[in-house]
């Protein structure tokens, strides 16, 4: 009897080139993956924002702030947690700006992007929680696409494996970044053996997180940032075990990779927020320039695009928005009539109840003025509350 050789029957290949020259301009696969991921996140977020009453195009105004601050935050986190690569005896400080060579931390990206989104949300008059919940399924999809940039770069893989989906990894040429080292015959050189494709594990996990958020958000009608907290919990749970598999260089704390601890702490913070925060899903109606609603075709109100316009009509962004409950949103969607506003409960909160933020809160509103103050103390009972521009 003969034994079959203990060699894998299949393997996942890796690209030997991650940079192409378009004339004098280098086109990097890593950057392309990030750009495609951003587009995916914007498309999903735009659709979800419009389902909640936000005018078309708002996601572009948000992305103008959130994308740059997210990239800066991601790079800052990477540099801070891997300082030896850029500072010290053998460090190269200028390499800290070489984002195209890889090195973006998702934790910094989320923190930096949140700052940018907060600035944009204040300008648009949209509560930050509404923006975060709209982004919740799009962000993990963007991360899934972005992880393929690591595949092109032949980086962030795990330990050796004999599984059929083991990954071939090239030895990259330090003198020719973005290209595999080649032998005398011109063939790309491979690392010995096969490795766990942790980039693929994380990409698939992120797609599952996006699906989980969509399903539970539809079933539980999450609001006030809870859908985003659910995304954070799902992502960090996967990042915890995937990070334990990775073999790339990383700083360690108490014997574990720094990102393992970060994932655990962020998970606990998101879990605490998810359990403590309560309240109905928030919907928005325009203030200043009412949008013409489209009669529903039936089904879940969250699936109706409230901001659609008649053919040829040019969408006009409102001055701001007022938060309403689902019943009021349905009525506005069906009739085009703005819901009655709640009376101001007390003078102390009057200023916060002005959506435009520039009227005298103690002055009586004109009849039919859509920017009149709204009540906050009854939000729990009615689901309607004013836009908090500092949320």
């Amino acid at each position: 009897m003969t034994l079959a050789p203990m060699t894998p029957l299949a393997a996942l290949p890796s690209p030997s080139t991650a940079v192409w020259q378009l004339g004098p301009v280098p086109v990097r696969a890593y950057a392309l993956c990030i750009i495609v991921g951003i587009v995916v996140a914007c498309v999903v977020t735009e659709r979800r924002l419009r389902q909640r009453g936000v005018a078309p195009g708002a996601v572009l105004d948000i992305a103008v702030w959130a994308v740059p601050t997210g990239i800066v935050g991601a790079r800052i986190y990477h540099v801070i947690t891997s300082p030896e690569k850029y500072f010290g005896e053998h460090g190269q400080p200028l390499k800290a700006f070489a984002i195209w060579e890889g090195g973006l931390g998702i934790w910094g990206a989320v923190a930096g992007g949140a700052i940018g989104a907060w600035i944009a949300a204040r300008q648009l008059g949209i509560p930050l929680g509404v923006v975060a919940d709209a982004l919740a399924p799009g962000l993990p999809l963007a991360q899934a696409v972005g992880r393929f940039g690591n595949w092109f770069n032949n980086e962030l893989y795990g330990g050796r494996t004999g599984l059929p989906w083991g990954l071939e990894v090239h030895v990259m040429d330090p003198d020719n970044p973005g290209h595999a080292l080649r032998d005398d015959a011109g063939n790309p050189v491979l690392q010995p053996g096969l490795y766990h494709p942790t980039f693929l594990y994380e990409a698939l996990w992120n797609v599952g997180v996006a699906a989980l958020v969509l399903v539970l958000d539809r079933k539980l009608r999450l609001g006030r940032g809870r859908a985003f907290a659910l995304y954070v919990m799902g992502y960090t749970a996967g990042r915890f075990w995937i990070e334990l598999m990775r073999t790339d260089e990383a700083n360690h704390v108490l014997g574990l990779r720094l990102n393992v601890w970060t994932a655990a702490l962020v998970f606990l913070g998101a879990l605490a927020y998810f359990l403590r925060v309560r309240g109905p899903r928030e919907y928005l109606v325009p203030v200043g320039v009412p949008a013409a609603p489209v009669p529903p075709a039936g089904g879940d109100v969250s699936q109706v695009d409230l901001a659609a316009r008649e053919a040829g009509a040019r969408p006009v962004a409102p001055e701001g928005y007022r938060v309403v409950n689902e019943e009021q949103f349905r009525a506005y969607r069906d009739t085009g009539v703005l819901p009655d506003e709640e009376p101001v409960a007390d003078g102390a909160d009057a200023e916060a109840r002005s959506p435009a933020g520039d009227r005298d809160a103690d002055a009586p509103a004109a009849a039919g003025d859509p920017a009149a103050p709204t009540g906050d103390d009854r939000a729990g009972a009615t689901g309607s509350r004013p836009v908090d521009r500092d949320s």
Side-chain angles (χ1 to χ4, degrees):
M1 183 177 71
T2 59
L3 295 176
M6 298 299 291
T7 57
L9 299 177
L12 294 177
S14 289
S16 60
T17 302
V19 181
W20 303 272
Q21 288 296 137
L22 187 61
V25 180
V27 179
R28 304 179 187 277
Y30 187 79
L32 290 177
C33 290
I34 292 177
I35 293 172
V36 173
I38 291 172
V39 171
V40 169
C42 286
V43 169
V44 174
T45 304
E46 169 75 359
R47 177 176 175 82
R48 287 170 60 83
L49 283 174
R50 293 176 67 174
Q51 289 168 355
R52 285 157 178 75
V54 178
V59 72
L60 298 180
D61 296 321
I62 296 170
V64 165
W65 284 97
V67 171
T69 55
I71 293 176
V72 171
R75 189 60 175 180
I76 290 175
Y77 179 87
H78 170 75
V79 172
I80 290 176
T81 56
S82 305
E84 63 281 354
K85 296 181 180 180
Y86 310 102
F87 308 105
E89 184 178 356
H90 301 291
Q92 302 181 52
L94 293 180
K95 287 287 188 179
F97 299 96
I99 296 179
W100 54 88
E101 294 183 3
L104 297 175
I106 183 59
W107 320 109
V110 172
I115 293 174
W118 173 73
I119 295 173
R122 281 177 58 89
Q123 294 178 345
L124 297 172
I126 304 173
L128 183 59
V130 173
V131 176
D133 285 340
L135 177 63
L139 187 52
L141 292 177
Q143 292 173 249
V145 175
R147 275 303 176 207
F148 283 89
N150 303 127
W151 177 55
F152 276 95
N153 284 351
N154 285 255
E155 61 186 3
L156 304 191
Y157 47 87
R160 295 278 291 269
T161 181
L163 293 171
W165 55 85
L167 180 69
E168 296 178 342
V169 178
H170 290 99
V171 178
M172 303 306 286
D173 189 348
D175 298 324
N176 189 15
H179 299 273
L181 190 68
R182 295 184 177 272
D183 58 22
D184 294 337
N187 299 315
V189 178
L190 288 169
Q191 299 274 10
L194 301 177
Y195 301 82
H196 279 287
T198 50
F199 84 90
L200 182 60
Y201 296 164
E202 186 170 333
L204 294 175
W205 182 273
N206 286 336
V207 172
V209 170
L212 175 68
V213 172
L214 287 170
V215 170
L216 292 185
D217 185 39
R218 177 176 296 184
K219 180 178 180 180
L220 303 178
R221 316 197 70 73
L222 300 173
R224 303 178 187 272
R226 297 182 76 217
F228 189 82
L230 180 62
Y231 144 71
V232 173
M233 287 189 290
Y235 172 71
T236 52
R239 183 63 184 266
F240 184 90
W241 65 266
I242 293 171
E243 191 72 25
L244 291 172
M245 298 181 66
R246 284 171 47 172
T247 57
D248 52 297
E249 293 183 4
N251 291 322
H252 288 68
V253 176
L254 299 178
L256 293 176
R257 295 166 65 94
L258 176 60
N259 281 334
V260 173
W261 292 106
T262 304
L265 292 175
V266 174
F267 174 87
L268 292 176
L271 176 61
Y273 182 91
F274 186 84
L275 295 177
R276 288 178 60 87
V277 174
R278 289 291 185 269
R281 177 183 287 175
E282 300 154 303
Y283 294 90
L284 305 179
V285 294
V287 170
V289 182
V294 175
D300 185 1
V301 66
S302 67
Q303 302 304 310
V304 176
D305 183 356
L306 202 231
R309 299 293 194 271
E310 295 180 1
R314 182 180 180 182
V316 179
E319 295 177 3
Y321 297 92
R322 182 154 60 89
V323 179
V324 297
N325 61 23
E326 185 172 335
E327 181 181 357
Q328 293 171 317
F329 184 77
R330 286 181 181 274
Y332 172 68
R333 178 202 65 189
D334 293 338
T335 66
V337 178
L338 291 172
D340 293 336
E341 301 178 68
E342 300 294 332
V344 177
D346 56 64
D349 296 333
E351 183 178 355
R353 290 180 172 81
S354 174
D358 56 0
R359 69 163 61 241
D360 183 358
D362 295 325
D369 183 358
T374 60
D376 188 27
D377 294 339
R378 296 176 60 185
T382 67
S384 173
R385 66 179 181 85
V387 173
D388 182 359
R389 294 179 183 270
D390 291 328
S391 59

